[in-house]
Amino acid sequence: MKQTFLVVALAAAACADASLTVQAQEDVDKAKAAAFDNRMFAGPPGAKAYACFVRRYDANHLAQHPKQKVGAMKLLVAAEDAPEDKTTNYSFRLGVTYRHRPGNFDSSGYCNHAIATQSGNEIRFECGVDCEGGGISVALSKDDKSAIARLASIRMWNRNKPDVEASEELLAGADDKIFRVDRAEPSECAELVTDRKELAALRHK
């Protein structure tokens, strides 16, 4: 596990000058952004907050989506105050297992502040992986019990292969464009965290 996020960190360091690329259609005002934070983190984020979403796709779902490559997904969204910048920083970690191949695959990156879609009907985070590694958008279901993750492509790393080059793209395909993942206890996403202090904080949420 530690090796995987070392790989991600090394890749990010190699692209230190690369900026997070997001497709922000429309900024939302501070009140709407704060309301979205409250929904995402089940209350004001404070100094640090986490939201964990998990789904293990059952046989019935997979039978209805025969081209879906992903068999299970975990999504951890974090918010942390940055007093020196007088702002809140957002990040994500994503873990997937595939239907027809062994291994655990991870990715991570940073998210922008809440934005609205062109229609204005949905507020979400746009999250990206450094070095043009793609990314995901994260919205919420109407009842806030699930996250809606959308992707075109995102770079993933095999958790057991520390080689920086051992990465691959998860492409949307026919049945891998939109994922509904259900809210879970933060500890359910503990495997995505390697920093000991952060892991301890996550487990006490």
Side-chain angles (χ1 to χ4, degrees), residues 43-170:
K48 192 152 193 176
Y50 300 94
C52 173
F53 302 90
V54 176
R55 187 159 180 196
R56 299 168 182 87
Y57 293 92
D58 60 26
N60 182 56
H61 174 94
L62 294 175
Q64 295 178 39
H65 300 84
K67 295 183 179 180
Q68 182 173 318
K69 299 182 286 289
V70 173
M73 176 177 285
K74 291 188 176 184
L75 171 65
L76 180 67
V77 182
E80 183 173 12
D81 277 349
E84 65 279 7
D85 298 328
K86 296 182 179 180
T87 187
T88 302
N89 293 329
Y90 302 91
S91 61
F92 82 99
R93 288 166 188 168
L94 182 72
V96 304
T97 57
Y98 293 105
R99 295 176 65 179
H100 303 304
R101 57 184 298 191
N104 295 292
F105 294 80
D106 301 314
S107 191
S108 65
Y110 294 93
C111 308
N112 66 331
H113 291 249
I115 63 169
T117 57
Q118 288 179 338
S119 65
N121 293 330
E122 181 180 79
I123 297 175
R124 62 193 184 189
F125 293 138
E126 291 281 357
C127 306
V129 179
D130 282 336
C131 301
E132 299 182 351
I136 60 173
S137 71
V138 182
L140 287 169
S141 61
K142 291 182 178 180
D143 60 8
D144 298 342
K145 293 181 179 180
S146 302
I148 309 301
R150 295 180 175 86
L151 66 90
S153 70
I154 185 170
R155 185 177 298 132
M156 307 293 296
W157 282 263
N158 188 317
R159 194 179 297 171
N160 296 320
K161 293 184 178 180
D163 189 345
V164 173
E165 301 300 323
S167 65
E168 60 184 61
E169 302 298 320
L170 170 58

Side-chain angles (χ1 to χ4, degrees), residues 2 12 19 38-39 59 140 153 165 192:
K2 290 183 178 180
S19 59
N38 288 347
R39 293 176 58 204
L140 287 169
S153 70
E165 301 300 323
L192 302 178

